[in-house]
């Protein structure tokens, strides 16, 4: 049975194979591509800073940050101020936050039989857009991070404005999402205790429990996360055992005959990426507890993603304290890009997980560019003997509607995947 | 119950940037009270994409996002076929963003004959000639939510919008992005020592800013209500224009030290003369830091 899954920033076709009333195999197909990697070839390297945010309307900022870091890795001895690093990290945090609000209120709620809460999605995500715009001029589609730093200079008044947007967003969280002081939510280490909280998130978690969905969506319990910064750690987690010594050299992309999306594996194994993966690698107590009690199910996946809103707001608040406005925003690279022939790569944590960019430059022009998006990791289409992460999560379910819920719990992004 | 205007939001070869820019509209409650989507990429709608392509659902406005090619399909149906079907029954068509209007970035995505609805960059396209009278273009990568939403209200209220040669409402596109930029004085007085990471300076001379010859309201209707790219210090990339994206975007193309692209309507000779005079000003306030000690 073929089902067109809609409103995932595009569509995907899922071909379900049933055996004795249960899903036995799911073939995932993306029907198009936009060939961004080809578009980039032969262009000036810096133009990638303008083109790549246009990979995706909802996580384009992650593509900007990945691009600038990949280009910077092509230089030897490039200087970057701490201030520029912090600003980039802040704006990327804000993008993650706006994404998670939209996903929860627009994508998840209807799958649980509720009406979309459009205003609850747009109000806080607009605040985060404003926060990015203070630095980047606009959101979406700014190119404000350039090789050597950021183009903006910010003032104390900008910081005050920024803090207002963050306080207002936090207030929204505390009045709607999880109705308690954020400290209580962030210090809670018992996933079961969360069910006693009030708010839109606990409501959904209670519904999962009440409707016996706790077992749904389990996959390999195998996670990976490459983009490290002042909050996220790099590493992989296998049945809660975490190792940090992993290399991007073991990440492989491979063509799939039936789909425009390429498969991604690490040492020939499929891994889950995204907020749940990040929390497992970071050993966040609340999420680790959820994973222990309910596995890598939709419960843990939903909780991890929404929890990241509060975590990143809290962390961003701390990051701002480290900003030294007297530092340079931008330090001009000592070598002109037109003289540069080199290659490099980057890995950043986008809303949906690890995003990798690889670039090859010849005399300042792009010779080759490769993008590996988070959704490719989660949706890699394996075989019956070796399922992809989301494929495995859908096996054994008895109906397509639940499978759609499980599928969308990965926060699938079709446009990214069909870059 | 008052009648809502029904919109079909159709994405072709797109990144959904316009979809998310639209979600930045601050008065969404009011908007959704006046309009409803028979289909939208993110907002729930009464019909599925499958319904849209297999049936003919009544609607008033066809809104197209993304570059258009016969080869590109949605739910197994060519976007051109979907456009042809719905363009016949709607009152108005709105091409949202630069891809749907001129082809934009995804003009290069490798599908056969990819372009905007009526324009392939600056060239008028041969297709859809009969729809010219119905179409309004709101270009931009992405479009500003206010430009889109207020154009939709103008349609609802049957306001006769004056359009430019690319079918863009003059209300928004008669201005240049340069209008209202906080760095204007550095341009006026030819202070040409811009460095990234500073409040001061104008990106026109060295860093590729296209604001003086790009039509748009970015510095009149601020982005996210707070800022603009040029105010922040990022050159205008000319994203509302048919030429988007040009090449070598962070560099100003010059001939004999004169920028190749001059402000709209300004001749080279006059520009040179004026630049010479303006440079003579040597305004101390603009030579040093804006917030000096």
């Amino acid at each position: 049975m073929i089902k067109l899954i809609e409103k995932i920033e595009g569509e995907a076709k899922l071909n379900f194979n049933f055996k004795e009333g249960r899903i036995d195999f799911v073939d995932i197909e993306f029907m198009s591509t936009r060939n961004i990697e080809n578009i980039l070839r032969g262009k000036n390297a810096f133009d990638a800073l303008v083109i790549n945010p246009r990979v995706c309307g909802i996580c384009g900022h992650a593509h900007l940050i990945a691009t600038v870091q990949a280009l910077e890795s092509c230089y030897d001895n490039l200087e970057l101020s701490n201030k520029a690093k912090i600003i980039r990290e802040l704006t990327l945090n804000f993008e993650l936050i706006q994404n998670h609000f939209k996903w929860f209120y627009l994508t998840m709620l209807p799958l649980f039989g509720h009406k979309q809460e459009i205003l609850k999605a747009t109000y806080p995500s607009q605040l985060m857009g404003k926060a990015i715009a203070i630095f980047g001029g606009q959101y979406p589609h700014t190119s404000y991070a350039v090789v050597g730093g950021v183009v903006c200079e910010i003032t104390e008044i900008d910081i005050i404005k920024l803090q207002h947007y963050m306080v207002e967003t936090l207030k929204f969280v505390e009045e709607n999402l999880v109705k308690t002081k954020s400290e209580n939510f962030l210090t809670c280490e018992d996933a079961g205790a969360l069910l006693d909280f009030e708010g839109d998130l606990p409501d959904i978690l209670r519904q999962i429990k009440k409707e016996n969905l706790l077992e749904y969506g389990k996959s390999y319990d195998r996670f990976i996360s490459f983009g490290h910064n002042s909050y996220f750690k790099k590493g992989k987690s296998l049945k809660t055992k975490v190792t940090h010594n992993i290399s991007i050299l073991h990440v492989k992309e491979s063509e799939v005959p039936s789909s425009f999306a390429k498969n991604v594996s690490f040492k020939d194994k499929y891994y889950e990426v995204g907020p749940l993966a990040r929390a497992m690698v970071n050993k966040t107590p609340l999420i680790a507890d959820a994973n222990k009690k309910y596995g890598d199910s939709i419960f843990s996946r939903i909780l991890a993603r929404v929890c990241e809103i509060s975590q990143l707001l809290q962390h961003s608040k701390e990051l701002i304290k480290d900003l030294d406005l007297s530092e340079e925003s931008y330090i001009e690279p000592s070598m002109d890009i037109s003289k540069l022939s080199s290659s490099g790569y980057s890995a950043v944590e986008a809303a949906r997980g690890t995003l990798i960019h690889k670039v090859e430059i010849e005399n300042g022009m792009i010779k080759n560019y490769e993008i590996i998006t988070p959704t490719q990791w989660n949706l890699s289409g394996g075989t019956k003997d070796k399922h992809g992460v989301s494929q495995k999560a859908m096996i054994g379910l008895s109906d397509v509607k639940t499978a759609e819920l499980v599928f969308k719990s990965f926060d699938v992004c079709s446009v990214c995947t069909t870059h | 119950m008052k009648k809502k205007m029904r919109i079909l939001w159709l994405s072709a070869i797109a990144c959904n940037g316009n979809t998310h820019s639209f979600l930045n509209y601050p008065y969404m409650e009011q908007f959704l009270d006046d309009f409803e989507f028979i289909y939208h990429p993110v907002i729930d709608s009464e019909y599925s994409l499958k319904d849209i392509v297999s049936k003919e659902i009544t609607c008033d406005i066809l809104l197209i996002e993304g570059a258009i090619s016969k080869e590109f399909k949605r739910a197994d149906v060519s976007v051109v076929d979907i456009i042809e079907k719905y363009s016949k029954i709607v009152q108005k068509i709105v091409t949202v963003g630069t891809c749907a209007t001129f082809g934009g970035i995804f003009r290069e995505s490798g599908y056969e004959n990819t372009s905007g609805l009526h324009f392939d960059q600056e060239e008028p396209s041969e297709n859809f000639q009969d729809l010219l009278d119905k179409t309004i273009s709101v270009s931009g990568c992405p479009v500003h939510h206010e430009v889109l939403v207020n154009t939709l209200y103008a349609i609802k209220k049957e306001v006769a919008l004056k359009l430019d040669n690319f079918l863009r409402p003059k209300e928004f596109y008669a201005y240049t992005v340069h209008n209202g930029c906080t760095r204007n004085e550095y341009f006026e007085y030819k202070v040409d020592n811009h460095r990234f990471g500073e409040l001061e300076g104008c990106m026109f001379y060295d860093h590729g800013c296209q604001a003086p010859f790009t039509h748009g309201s970015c510095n009149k209707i601020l982005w996210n209500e707070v800022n603009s790219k040029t105010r922040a210090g990022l050159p205008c990339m000319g994203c509302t224009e048919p030429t988007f994206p040009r090449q070598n975007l962070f560099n100003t193309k010059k001939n004999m030290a004169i920028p190749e692209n001059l402000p709209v309507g300004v001749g080279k000779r006059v520009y040179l003369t004026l630049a010479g005079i303006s440079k003579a000003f040597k305004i101390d306030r603009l030579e040093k830091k804006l917030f000096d000690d």
Side-chain angles (χ1 to χ4, degrees):
Chain A
M1 180 203 171
I2 295 176
K3 162 117 176 129
L4 186 72
I5 304 289
E6 300 186 11
K7 308 212 179 195
I8 45 169
E9 308 291 328
E11 297 87 39
K13 241 184 232 172
L14 299 194
N15 189 351
F16 294 99
N17 246 305
F18 281 87
K19 205 169 172 181
E20 290 159 12
R22 305 225 165 247
I23 294 170
D24 180 47
F25 187 69
V26 189
D27 200 31
I28 304 167
E29 184 196 344
F30 285 90
M31 292 85 74
S32 65
T33 171
R34 291 166 301 145
N35 293 311
I36 289 254
E37 290 157 347
N38 283 342
I39 293 175
L40 288 165
R41 245 167 248 141
K43 292 213 160 62
N44 291 82
F46 288 172
D47 288 1
L49 298 166
V50 179
I51 290 170
N52 289 349
R54 274 88 179 177
V55 167
C56 178
I58 192 164
C59 63
H61 203 67
H63 285 279
L64 171 69
I65 303 299
T67 306
V68 80
Q69 289 186 6
L71 291 174
E72 285 172 346
S73 75
C74 293
Y75 289 76
D76 296 322
N77 313 317
L78 188 101
E79 265 189 282
L80 205 58
S81 71
N82 208 29
K83 176 176 153 190
K85 280 185 208 161
I86 291 175
I87 291 175
R88 287 180 186 179
E89 211 175 301
L90 283 170
T91 54
L92 185 53
N93 286 350
F94 300 150
E95 178 175 84
L96 265 61
I97 295 168
Q98 64 88 34
N99 175 80
H100 297 347
F101 278 120
K102 285 176 181 168
W103 173 79
F104 184 76
Y105 284 115
L106 299 178
T107 306
M108 275 298 111
L109 285 193
L111 292 166
F112 286 95
H114 307 284
K115 267 182 71 130
Q116 264 187 339
E117 295 262 18
I118 296 170
L119 300 179
K120 284 186 178 181
T122 55
Y123 179 69
S125 55
Q126 284 171 9
L127 288 166
M128 291 292 96
K130 289 177 198 296
I132 298 172
I134 286 182
F135 302 99
Q138 72 177 59
Y139 185 80
H141 289 355
T142 174
S143 305
Y144 91 111
V146 294
V147 170
V150 290
V151 300
C152 59
E153 174 60 310
I154 46 160
T155 66
E156 295 286 0
I157 295 291
D158 290 329
I159 300 296
I160 290 170
K161 282 180 356 197
L162 174 69
Q163 284 166 331
H164 288 161
Y165 301 139
M166 290 170 61
V167 168
E168 189 67 18
T169 309
L170 192 67
K171 195 168 147 238
F172 176 90
V173 172
E174 293 178 347
E175 286 174 1
N176 296 277
L177 211 44
V178 186
K179 291 183 184 170
T180 178
K181 282 270 156 218
S182 259
E183 301 88 79
N184 299 337
F185 178 34
L186 287 170
T187 53
C188 175
E189 298 189 357
D190 176 359
L194 257 193
L195 297 167
D196 300 327
F197 282 77
E198 290 301 314
D200 299 330
L201 172 68
D203 282 348
I204 290 295
L205 298 179
R206 271 191 292 273
Q207 192 177 343
I208 291 174
K209 196 172 174 194
K210 200 172 142 213
E211 294 177 8
N212 295 320
L213 306 173
L214 278 171
E215 289 295 311
Y216 288 170
K218 285 185 186 176
S219 189
Y220 289 106
D221 201 351
R222 194 162 69 202
F223 305 98
I224 206 157
S225 178
F226 276 97
H228 59 101
N229 60 18
S230 72
Y231 189 72
F232 296 125
K233 293 189 183 90
K234 179 171 110 172
K236 65 185 173 85
S237 165
L238 189 60
K239 310 244 180 255
T240 72
K241 189 179 163 284
V242 177
T243 46
H244 296 287
N245 186 20
I246 52 170
S247 164
I248 221 159
L249 296 172
H250 295 120
V251 176
K252 290 242 154 50
E253 240 187 339
S254 58
E255 306 264 352
V256 188
S258 64
S259 175
F260 278 105
K262 289 179 184 163
N263 280 353
V264 182
S265 58
F266 176 82
K267 290 192 177 173
D268 290 324
K269 282 198 168 75
Y270 297 127
Y271 281 79
E272 175 168 350
V273 297
L276 179 56
R278 294 194 276 258
M280 291 307 290
V281 171
N282 264 26
K283 296 189 172 169
T284 307
L286 177 65
I287 310 303
D289 185 58
N291 190 69
K292 194 170 125 198
K293 285 178 177 142
Y294 312 114
D296 52 342
S297 63
I298 55 168
F299 183 98
S300 304
R301 219 170 272 127
I302 292 171
L303 174 61
R305 193 174 306 274
V306 176
C307 193
E308 234 179 41
I309 294 175
S310 298
Q311 290 165 347
L312 290 176
L313 278 172
Q314 169 66 28
H315 181 68
S316 299
K317 207 166 117 188
E318 297 301 316
L319 261 181
I320 291 172
K321 290 185 195 154
D322 296 336
L323 263 180
D324 177 357
L325 294 190
S326 70
E327 287 180 24
E328 301 277 344
S329 293
Y330 170 80
I331 302 168
E332 194 168 348
S334 54
M335 190 198 242
D336 192 278
I337 184 88
S338 65
K339 300 197 175 64
L340 193 67
S341 295
S342 178
S343 62
Y345 68 85
S346 64
V348 306
E349 285 306 307
R352 296 165 177 77
T354 295
L355 169 68
I356 295 171
H357 280 214
K358 296 181 193 173
V359 64
E360 236 179 287
I361 305 172
E362 205 171 73
N363 299 321
M365 308 298 274
I366 297 167
K367 201 176 159 202
N368 202 23
Y369 209 103
E370 280 174 55
I371 298 172
I372 299 174
T373 66
T375 300
Q376 278 177 264
W377 287 92
N378 289 335
L379 265 54
S380 283
T383 55
K384 281 195 179 180
D385 311 323
K386 195 177 149 194
H387 295 117
V389 172
S390 64
Q391 278 178 321
K392 184 168 163 66
M394 291 183 279
I395 305 289
L397 298 174
S398 53
D399 67 289
V400 167
K401 204 170 156 256
T402 314
E404 182 175 354
L405 166 62
V406 168
F407 185 71
K408 287 187 173 176
S409 75
F410 288 94
D411 193 4
V412 177
C413 181
S414 171
V415 280
C416 264
T417 309
T418 59
H419 60 273
Chain B
M1 213 178 90
K2 72 175 164 187
K3 194 175 171 289
K4 291 186 184 185
M5 234 180 172
R6 289 157 67 92
I7 303 174
L8 165 57
W9 185 307
L10 178 69
S11 302
I13 311 170
C15 71
N16 284 13
N18 296 295
T19 298
H20 288 280
S21 187
F22 163 71
L23 293 180
N24 282 334
Y25 185 63
Y27 314 108
M28 198 58 92
E29 194 170 12
Q30 186 195 338
F31 179 84
L32 294 171
D33 215 29
D34 293 324
F35 295 87
E36 72 172 287
F37 290 106
I38 62 163
Y39 189 80
H40 183 278
V42 177
I43 294 173
D44 268 353
S45 46
E46 198 183 329
Y47 303 95
S48 68
L49 186 64
K50 249 178 149 171
D51 295 331
I52 296 294
V53 302
S54 59
K55 300 171 196 164
E56 189 179 285
I57 314 287
T58 327
C59 81
D60 304 305
I61 300 174
L62 168 63
L63 212 148
I64 306 167
E65 168 176 19
I68 298 160
S69 161
K70 179 111 194 144
E71 244 189 307
F72 190 83
K73 291 178 180 173
R74 292 291 306 280
D76 294 328
V77 179
S78 161
V79 287
V80 168
D81 295 342
I82 306 173
I83 291 169
E84 273 172 359
K85 177 165 75 176
Y86 282 95
S87 61
K88 289 197 184 81
I89 62 168
V90 294
Q91 288 169 36
K92 282 281 179 195
I93 300 161
V94 182
T95 61
V96 180
T98 296
C99 288
T101 305
F102 301 117
I105 284 184
F106 296 122
R107 186 176 167 275
E108 299 172 51
S109 60
Y111 291 89
E112 206 180 309
N113 295 328
T114 307
S115 69
L117 184 71
H118 294 301
F119 303 97
D120 181 15
Q121 297 190 310
E122 279 156 313
E123 294 300 313
S125 142
E126 284 166 20
N127 308 325
F128 304 112
Q129 290 279 351
D130 52 326
L131 305 178
L132 277 168
D133 290 344
K134 273 192 181 182
T135 306
I136 298 176
S137 309
V138 285
S139 61
C141 190
V143 71
H144 191 293
H145 55 72
E146 271 212 26
V147 172
L148 170 61
V149 168
N150 291 329
T151 299
L152 293 173
Y153 270 103
I155 294 171
K156 187 176 164 73
K157 291 174 193 295
E158 297 179 2
V159 175
L161 286 173
K162 281 191 179 163
L163 306 180
D164 70 11
N165 293 340
F166 295 120
L167 310 173
R168 301 178 297 192
K170 290 194 175 176
E171 183 93 26
F172 305 113
Y173 296 90
Y175 301 90
T176 66
V177 172
H178 179 67
N179 291 156
C181 177
T182 50
R183 295 163 186 271
N184 266 352
E185 284 182 299
Y186 299 91
F187 179 83
E188 284 167 29
Y189 300 111
K190 306 290 164 241
V191 184
D192 55 1
N193 57 353
H194 173 260
R195 284 183 70 242
F196 286 121
E198 294 182 351
L199 295 172
E200 302 82 7
C202 167
M203 289 81 74
F204 174 74
Y205 304 105
D206 292 314
H207 293 128
C209 186
Q210 301 181 34
F213 51 93
T214 296
H215 297 84
S217 294
C218 294
N219 276 304
K220 178 172 179 272
I221 307 170
L222 292 182
W223 282 88
N224 311 80
E225 290 72 55
V226 298
N227 211 354
S228 75
K229 288 204 286 299
T230 62
R231 288 184 179 197
L234 182 66
C236 164
M237 302 296 174
C239 77
T240 56
E241 296 292 357
T243 45
F244 181 74
R246 291 170 190 251
Q247 302 263 346
N248 208 358
L249 290 157
F250 286 88
N251 264 294
T252 303
K253 205 171 176 189
K254 292 181 215 172
N255 295 324
M256 317 256 289
I258 317 291
E260 187 177 278
N261 293 289
L262 293 175
V264 179
V266 174
K268 211 154 251 181
R269 194 182 293 259
V270 185
Y271 178 84
L272 260 182
T273 314
L274 257 180
I277 297 171
S278 304
K279 261 186 169 294
F281 276 111
K282 282 263 171 279
I283 299 165
D284 190 40
R285 188 171 64 87
L286 301 179
E287 300 289 337
K288 56 186 194 184
K289 285 290 206 193
L290 206 50
F291 304 170
D292 64 340
D293 297 321

